[in-house]
Amino acid sequence: MYIIMAAIILIAALIVFIFGEVDQQQYGDDWQTQLATETKDLKDSQEEMEFMAFDSEIAKNEYYLENDIKPQPYDTWQFTLENAGLSMLISLFTIIIAAGIISNEFRWGGTIKLLLIRPISRTKILFSKFVSVLLFSLTMLIALFVTSLLVGLIFFGVNGVNPNIVQMGSDGIEEVSILIEILTQYGLNVVTLIMMATFAFMISTLFRSSAMAIGLAIFLMFTGNTIIGFLADYEWTKYILFANTNLGQYFGSGSPIIESMTLGFSVAVLIVYFVIFILVSWLSFAKRDIAGH
């Protein structure tokens, strides 16, 4: 766990090192003129280079000017919000742990026997390992949040307790509380982590080989969205797990993969998959013959 936490801290530090040197536009007292000039330059660049799209930046700048809002400099809140994307690494670490937590018991000299000869039911053993995986993933996510906040505070400072940010929403430009946006993003990541951890845990109970379990789980993790992209034209695609794990598609500027999908639908699908994964894990572990190990 300490190695993984150190890796997350290192990644956060590298992001600061790379982006901390980026020339962030600083606006002075004449910020309206600066912003108008910047907007004009973006429009000119977009006309000259058709493959470059600055619609979002232009729209935000125009919103600032129309509503007389001075853009705030980059700070720890924005850094923490951007780092929510690093939860992909936590998902990877969690899958490695979850996919091997049961299968490794068979691999390491049949240590599963040492567990089952104790006066503890298989259900309790399975449940305790599952809870351990969930606690591991949630601890890593909290570590990511705290580390990002502290590192960002040191390098970028803070613009206030809960400043507002201007961003693209489903209905255009909107002004939102950055703290609420951060909690929303990290909260949605919790849902994704739980589903991926449960999926990998189920695979771990189905295979005696930890390498196969981990390999299959990681393969599906990285190819799941690609597969959904290929099948997006089919209505039944919305019932596939990976079409629903990203609940962020219903917030902000996101849009559902399938037009008929809703937040309630995806939540219901995830609950069904969660129950199925738990049942398959329990049935596989409870009925497995250990005599051969």
Side-chain angles (χ1 to χ4, degrees), residues 129-179:
K129 286 185 174 293
F130 178 65
V131 171
S132 297
V133 170
L134 293 184
L135 290 177
F136 170 82
S137 61
L138 293 178
T139 300
M140 290 299 97
L141 187 63
I142 293 174
L144 171 63
F145 173 78
V146 174
T147 301
S148 299
L149 200 61
L150 293 177
V151 173
L153 187 63
I154 294 172
F155 284 86
F156 302 115
V158 61
N159 293 326
V161 177
N162 183 24
N164 289 338
I165 58 170
V166 173
Q167 65 179 17
M168 288 295 295
S170 56
D171 299 321
I173 296 295
E174 59 184 13
E175 189 175 356
V176 298
S177 163
I178 194 167
L179 186 56

Side-chain angles (χ1 to χ4, degrees), residues 49-85:
M49 298 177 288
E50 296 182 359
F51 60 89
M52 297 293 289
F54 300 106
D55 293 337
S56 176
E57 291 82 355
I58 293 173
K60 286 193 289 186
N61 286 354
E62 291 177 342
Y63 182 90
Y64 285 129
L65 292 170
E66 292 173 1
N67 294 274
D68 196 29
I69 300 174
K70 182 179 180 180
Q72 294 293 325
Y74 190 84
D75 71 343
T76 185
W77 294 119
Q78 296 180 56
F79 178 72
T80 303
L81 179 60
E82 290 179 356
N83 279 2

Side-chain angles (χ1 to χ4, degrees), residues 23-28 30-46 54-62 64-65 70-72:
D23 182 23
Q24 292 290 334
Q25 179 68 48
Q26 299 294 325
Y27 300 99
D30 193 23
W31 63 270
Q32 291 97 334
T33 302
Q34 289 179 265
L35 205 58
T37 302
E38 179 185 326
T39 303
K40 182 179 181 302
D41 291 340
L42 289 173
K43 289 181 178 179
D44 292 341
S45 298
Q46 188 167 256
F54 300 106
D55 293 337
S56 176
E57 291 82 355
I58 293 173
K60 286 193 289 186
N61 286 354
E62 291 177 342
Y64 285 129
L65 292 170
K70 182 179 180 180
Q72 294 293 325

Side-chain angles (χ1 to χ4, degrees), residues 16 22 36 74 123 127 143 155 170 193 219 256 291:
V16 172
V22 175
Y74 190 84
T123 300
F127 179 74
F155 284 86
S170 56
L193 282 175
F219 172 77

Side-chain angles (χ1 to χ4, degrees), residues 11 13 45 50 53 87 95 105 107 162 183 192 223 240 271 284:
I11 291 171
S45 298
E50 296 182 359
S87 62
I95 282 178
E105 297 288 355
R107 176 189 175 192
N162 183 24
L183 294 177
T192 302
T223 60
I240 299 176
I271 291 175
S284 176

Side-chain angles (χ1 to χ4, degrees), residues 84-124:
L86 289 178
S87 62
M88 174 66 73
L89 289 176
I90 299 178
S91 294
L92 177 60
F93 295 142
T94 300
I95 282 178
I96 293 174
I97 297 297
I101 197 169
I102 297 295
S103 55
N104 278 335
E105 297 288 355
F106 293 92
R107 176 189 175 192
W108 294 334
T111 54
I112 188 66
K113 289 182 178 180
L114 300 178
L115 287 175
L116 297 182
I117 61 176
R118 299 181 181 182
I120 304 175
S121 67
R122 292 193 181 191
T123 300
K124 289 183 178 180

